[in-house]
Structures are given as C-alpha cells and as structure tokens.
C-alpha cells in the first residue's frame, strides 16, 4: 500500500502543478511547480511520510531510465544533426564542460566566502550510499 | 502445418504498445548491467548505451520512432512524478540548503547564463544556423522546460529534447572526472554544477555518487528550470538575436 499511496500523492501534486501553470500562464512546467509545492508541504509538516519516501526513492533510484524514450527520439533528427553536426556536437560538448567548470568554480569560491563555517561538509541524515 | 508465421507475430507485436515498453526496459536492464560490470564507468552511462541499442534495433527492424513511442511513453510519462519526487531529497538536505542559499543563487544565475551564452556563441562561431543556436540555447534545462523555451525563442522543440538528453549524457559522463581535475571534493558544489549543466541525467548520475550530491543536483536542476525560463529569452534579446 505504501508505494501506491506515495505515487498517488506524487501524481496529485503534479496534477495540481499542471493545472496551476495553465491557469496562471506560468513559464515553468507543471511537475516543477508540483515539486516546489511538495517541498513547501514537507517544510510545513516537518517530516516525510513513509509512503512518500518509498515512492520517491523507487522512482529516483532509476531516474536515468526515464530519459531513454526521449533520447531514442534522436533518430527522427538524424538528417538535421548530420547537416550541422560540427556546430551541434562541438557547441553542445564544449558548452556543457564550460558550464560545469564555471558553475563548480563559482559555487566553490562563493561558498568559501559566504557560507557560515558551522555547517559540516557531510549531510545530516539520509546520506547512506556514498561511493 | 499451420505454424504461425513469425512475420504475423511481429506485425501483431509491433502494433501494440507492449513491445515498445518491454524493449525499453530490457535495453535499460542490459545497459545497467553492463555499467555495473564495468565498475560504474561513466563512459558506459546506461542512458547512452540503451539509446544506442534501441536506435540500432528500431533501424534494423524498420520500426518508426512514433510506433516505438506508443509503448515507451509509459516510461516517459514517469518523468513528471519523478520531478515532483525530487522534493523529498531536497527536504532531507534543507539545513545545508538554507546555509548555502546565497552562493547557490549566485552560481545558479551565472551557470544558466554561461550555459545559454556559450552554446549560442559556440554554435554561431562554428557556423551553425540560427535555428540550431536557438535549439541549443536552453539545452541545460530539463527537457520539458527546454522545449518550451526553444519554442518561444525560435528553436525546434523536438530537436531541443534530443539535444537536452545529449547534454545530460555529456554532463553525466564527464562531470565526476572534471570535478576531480578541478580538485573539488565537496558534494554540494559538485551537485550544484551537475544539476545546472546536466539536469535530470546529471542528477541521476549524482545520486550514484552520494545522496547529498543528488539532492543538490536535483535542487539545481529545479531552480535552473526557473532561471532558464526567465533568463534565456532575455539573454537572447540582449544578444540582439
């Protein structure tokens, strides 16, 4: 029952998010708004109900599977990608590396300057599967 | 006599969503095993391997993507609830998030601008068409957001979906090595960079390293979806495109 209740809760938040985005004409996708609302709910509640824990860890443990169907969509665009493969592949690859280096660098330095030192490097609980 | 023709079975199966769904799960299962066998080498990223296997299979059998997607959409659909589910690890990391909100905000805004600006600039330098530049611009945001933005700035939404997946794979494959080279050891820093640059696929990879890196990556992915939607159309205007 836990998994079913949890997934129902997730779908309900997504549904409310989708409806709100359309009603208010927001520029973000419904699931992202649903996530923000669920996060706010958890903050108010002060803990995570067990069914929600079960369902979310089940979904997130294989998050990468969910991107496979969109990735296979590449075959529809082979012609276009072949026609402009150099700008597409180089810009995509280099820009992704540059973004990671820049973001990590900025986060590294700003967190050194701006964050209170009292917070340790390890998360409090729930971090159980470090490599 | 009267043995069923293999082609009849194939015609039946390829008309039903069952096949697209099952081969997606089988391909991913195989890809994931291969990944574990190779000691979690990021080069055998399970998304990359299963996409390659599935495209190969569809091309060999002459199956159209739309036919495949009739089944695969059931997996694709779960991206929605999975995005909502990111609230849970986010909540678990709340104490650290609150302490780091200012550096996170600064890195996020800079990261989103770098992602869009560098992809437009590089594509332009290398002779890419305007359509390609605009399809690449939102590539670091999560697929549904990126597609919406591509549409508003003059890119091709379905191409953007693919470029987004490729970006996620690139980030997932190169990220951990890159952070090693930069001597960055803090999982919250790595997570933020991964989520900003490589959205959900990067986040999936981040969860394999640690829950903390995953939570920060999920947060960065969610917030950069907002930031991309707000900043990229503005940036495109600013660049005079």
């Amino acid at each position: 029952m836990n998994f079913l209740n949890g997934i129902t809760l997730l779908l309900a938040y997504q549904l409310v998010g989708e409806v709100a985005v359309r009603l208010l004409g927001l520029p973000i996708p419904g699931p992202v708004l649903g996530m923000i609302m669920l996060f706010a709910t958890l903050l108010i509640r002060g803990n995570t109900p067990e069914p929600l824990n079960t369902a979310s860890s089940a979904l997130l443990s294989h998050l990468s599977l969910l991107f496979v169907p969109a990735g296979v969509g590449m075959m529809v665009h082979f012609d276009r990608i072949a026609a402009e493969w150099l700008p597409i592949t180089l810009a995509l690859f280099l820009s992704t590396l540059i973004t990671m280096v820049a973001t990590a660098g900025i986060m590294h330095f700003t967190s050194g300057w701006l964050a209170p030192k009292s917070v340790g490097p390890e998360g409090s609980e729930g971090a159980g599967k470090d490599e | 006599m009267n043995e069923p023709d293999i082609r009849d079975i194939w015609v039946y199966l390829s008309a039903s969503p069952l096949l697209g769904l099952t081969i997606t799960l089988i391909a991913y299962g195989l890809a994931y095993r291969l990944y574990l066998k190779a000691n979690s080498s990021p080069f055998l990223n399970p998304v990359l391997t299963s996409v390659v296997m599935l495209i190969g299979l569809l091309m060999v059998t002459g199956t159209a993507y739309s036919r495949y997607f009739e089944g695969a959409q059931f997996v694709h659909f779960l991206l929605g609830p999975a995005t909502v589910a990111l609230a849970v690890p986010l909540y678990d990391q709340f104490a650290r998030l609150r302490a780091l909100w200012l550096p996170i905000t600064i890195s996020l805004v800079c990261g989103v601008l770098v992602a869009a600006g560098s992809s437009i600039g590089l594509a332009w330098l290398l002779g890419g068409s305007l359509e390609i530049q605009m399809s690449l611009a939102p590539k670091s945001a999560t697929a549904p957001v990126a597609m919406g933005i591509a549409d508003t700035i003059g890119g091709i939404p379905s191409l953007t979906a693919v470029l987004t997946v490729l970006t996620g794979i690139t980030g997932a494959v190169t990220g951990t090595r890159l952070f090693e080279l930069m001597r960055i050891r803090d999982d919250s820093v790595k997570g933020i960079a991964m989520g900003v640059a490589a959205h959900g696929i990067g986040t999936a990879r981040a969860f394999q390293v640690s829950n903390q890196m995953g939570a920060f990556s999920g947060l960065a992915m969610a917030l950069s979806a907002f930031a991309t939607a707000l900043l990229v159309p503005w940036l495109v205007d600013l660049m005079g495109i």
Side-chain angles (χ1 to χ4, degrees):
Chain A
M1 241 359 236
N2 259 359
F3 177 73
L4 207 58
N5 287 338
I7 198 96
T8 308
L9 204 60
L10 293 175
L11 288 172
Y13 271 86
Q14 184 187 352
L15 184 63
V16 174
E18 305 271 16
V19 172
V21 160
R22 273 165 188 72
L23 281 180
L24 303 172
L26 298 176
I28 51 158
V32 173
L33 184 61
M35 186 204 75
I36 308 236
M37 291 189 299
L38 180 58
F39 181 62
T41 311
L42 293 177
L43 281 183
I44 294 164
R45 246 187 85 102
N47 65 8
T48 314
E50 201 40 49
L52 192 61
N53 249 334
T54 311
S56 74
S57 52
L59 273 176
L60 294 178
S61 61
H62 282 289
L63 186 58
S64 37
L65 162 69
L66 313 184
F67 290 92
V68 171
V72 178
M74 200 187 315
M75 61 187 286
V76 177
H77 291 285
F78 271 156
D79 289 347
R80 179 134 214 140
I81 295 173
E84 297 195 53
W85 68 272
L86 186 72
I88 291 178
T89 49
L90 268 188
L92 191 145
F93 184 74
L94 292 177
S95 161
T96 306
L97 295 194
I98 293 169
T99 305
M100 278 195 297
V101 170
T103 313
I106 294 165
M107 181 69 190
H108 181 71
F109 287 113
T110 51
S111 62
W113 296 330
L114 301 169
K117 293 287 177 231
S118 57
V119 184
E122 289 306 318
S124 45
E125 77 264 35
K129 51 171 188 179
D130 294 40
E131 235 173 36
Chain B
M1 55 169 289
N2 205 14
E3 76 187 73
D5 190 334
I6 184 88
R7 266 172 307 173
D8 291 341
I9 300 175
W10 176 253
V11 166
Y12 164 73
L13 272 180
S14 64
S16 119
L18 180 64
L19 189 64
L21 178 60
T22 314
I23 58 173
T24 304
L25 293 174
I26 292 176
Y28 183 79
L30 288 174
Y32 197 73
R33 267 201 193 169
L34 198 65
Y35 170 73
L36 292 182
K37 271 254 165 68
N39 292 319
S40 306
S41 159
F43 293 103
L44 284 174
N45 181 282
V47 185
L48 179 62
T49 325
S50 38
V51 165
V52 169
M53 283 195 273
L54 286 165
I55 290 183
L57 183 69
L58 295 182
M59 290 182 82
V60 165
T61 58
T63 311
Y65 177 67
S66 55
R67 181 53 62 76
Y68 160 77
F69 195 75
E70 280 165 25
Q73 62 176 322
F74 299 111
V75 172
H76 183 76
F77 173 78
L78 291 176
L79 274 174
T83 305
V84 179
L86 285 170
V88 175
L90 208 57
Y91 173 72
D92 291 339
Q93 295 290 333
F94 183 61
R96 254 180 93 61
L97 288 179
R98 195 165 51 178
L100 288 170
W101 73 271
L102 189 55
I104 289 174
T105 310
I106 297 172
S107 326
L108 209 90
V109 170
C110 297
V112 164
L113 291 176
V114 168
S118 65
S119 49
I120 296 174
L122 282 165
W124 174 76
L125 270 178
L126 295 160
S129 64
L130 188 63
E131 253 183 341
I132 291 295
Q133 294 170 32
M134 292 302 114
S135 302
L136 277 166
K139 69 178 188 350
S140 281
T142 188
V145 185
M147 291 170 77
I149 299 165
D151 200 27
T152 56
I153 60 176
I156 309 160
S158 63
L159 178 62
T160 294
V162 171
L163 299 177
T164 302
V165 173
L166 291 174
T167 299
I169 292 173
T170 306
V173 169
T174 58
T176 40
R177 181 62 52 84
L178 207 57
F179 301 140
E180 236 168 65
L181 286 175
M182 291 176 76
R183 293 170 198 279
I184 286 178
R185 316 200 63 175
D186 187 339
D187 276 353
S188 58
V189 173
K190 293 193 262 183
I192 293 289
M194 195 67 124
V196 167
H199 61 90
I201 300 177
T203 300
R205 167 75 187 132
F207 271 115
Q208 286 160 359
V209 176
S210 77
N211 271 354
Q212 194 191 356
M213 183 172 169
F216 274 81
S217 184
L219 167 81
M221 156 187 155
L223 293 178
S224 69
F226 270 109
T228 308
L230 295 173
L231 294 174
V232 169
W234 170 79
L235 180 73
V236 168
D237 258 4
L238 198 75
M239 292 173 94
I241 301 166

